[in-house]
Amino acid sequence: MDRVIRITVKISAFITFSALFFIIGYILLKGIPNLDISLFSLKYTTENMSLFPAMVTTLMLILLTLVISTPIGIFTAFYLVEYAKKDSKIVEIIRIATETLSGIPSIVYGLFGMLFFVIRLNFKYSLLAGALTVGIMVLPLIIRTTEEALLSVDNSLREASLALGAGKLRTIFKVALPVAMPGILSGVILSIGRIVGETAALMFTLGTAAKIPEGLFSSGRTLALHMYVLSTEGLHVNESYATGIILLIVVLIVNGLSTLLSNKLTKGNENE
């Protein structure tokens, strides 16, 4: 039985890595020959199919979404771990809401964002509507990772801080938060990966305008949306493969930064 389990695990791992390498290799083979300097022009035209406005829009969306969702997610986790009673009805409601939000398909988020933010609040297709919609999507991830990071902090550290006369709030920010910071950052940076790869929700809220947003109420398109639009039009499929390479590089950089920051913070806390 042990041998069968080991063989099954190895086969599963091989299939997983094979699928990953196949996808990456296919995108590279299709995209590298189509990479051109014109794709990085400042303005998008029907001739250059520039992805530069989409890159800028992606960065703007990431920043705005994190500004909105990160404080809410982190402070919600603080409440669940540090303040709320474990058997409280409020805690149960928050957990049910978090689990429900994490299971909703992105297209449903897009329809909600379009009906509420775009139409009801009259934000129209805009950067703000897209950021608010995606911010709701990544909230469960930030809450869960922050909660797990705080739960991993040894209670003896909190008790020692309180015994020395520090208040509850000071104990959280000076003792628990620094120790839990690697896990919190991992969740926040992983949420960036979902923001970067999202298309369905943003199509109905951010829009697909091929320009750099001029403000919060201006439309634009992310790299993922740019790739989707080019591929569905059927006229610039080659450029969509090239955009896929840039998007893949962005995702790899985000994941690399996540691992690097977590490792550095973990080593720093161990040294202290």
Side-chain angles (χ1 to χ4, degrees), residues 178-192:
V179 177
M181 186 57 71
I184 296 174
L185 277 180
S186 297
V188 172
I189 298 177
L190 286 174
S191 67
I192 296 176

Side-chain angles (χ1 to χ4, degrees), residues 158-264:
R158 297 184 178 91
E159 294 171 357
S161 176
L162 295 173
L164 292 173
K168 183 71 172 179
L169 193 61
R170 188 177 182 85
T171 299
I172 292 174
F173 282 97
K174 295 295 184 179
V175 177
L177 183 59
V179 177
M181 186 57 71
I184 296 174
L185 277 180
S186 297
V188 172
I189 298 177
L190 286 174
S191 67
I192 296 176
R194 182 166 188 183
I195 298 170
V196 171
E198 188 55 49
T199 54
L202 294 175
M203 188 184 305
F204 295 105
T205 53
L206 175 62
T208 58
K211 63 176 184 178
I212 299 175
E214 300 171 355
L216 292 178
F217 297 98
S218 180
S219 180
R221 67 168 68 165
T222 61
L223 280 171
L225 270 177
H226 181 71
M227 182 175 64
Y228 173 78
V229 172
L230 292 181
S231 61
T232 53
E233 287 177 351
L235 300 175
H236 306 284
V237 177
N238 292 333
E239 287 80 359
S240 69
Y241 282 118
T243 304
I245 292 180
I246 304 301
L247 181 60
L248 184 62
I249 292 173
V250 170
V251 172
L252 291 175
I253 290 174
V254 168
N255 290 337
L257 287 175
S258 174
T259 304
L260 183 63
L261 286 175
S262 298
N263 291 338
K264 283 189 174 181

Side-chain angles (χ1 to χ4, degrees), residues 52-71:
F52 182 77
M55 289 180 62
V56 177
T57 304
T58 301
L59 295 176
M60 294 173 66
L61 181 70
I62 290 172
L63 180 62
L64 184 58
T65 302
L66 292 183
V67 168
I68 294 172
S69 61
T70 301

Side-chain angles (χ1 to χ4, degrees), residues 34-45:
N34 298 296
L35 283 174
D36 191 86
I37 191 65
S38 61
L39 292 175
F40 300 92
S41 302
L42 293 178
K43 291 185 178 181
Y44 172 94
T45 65

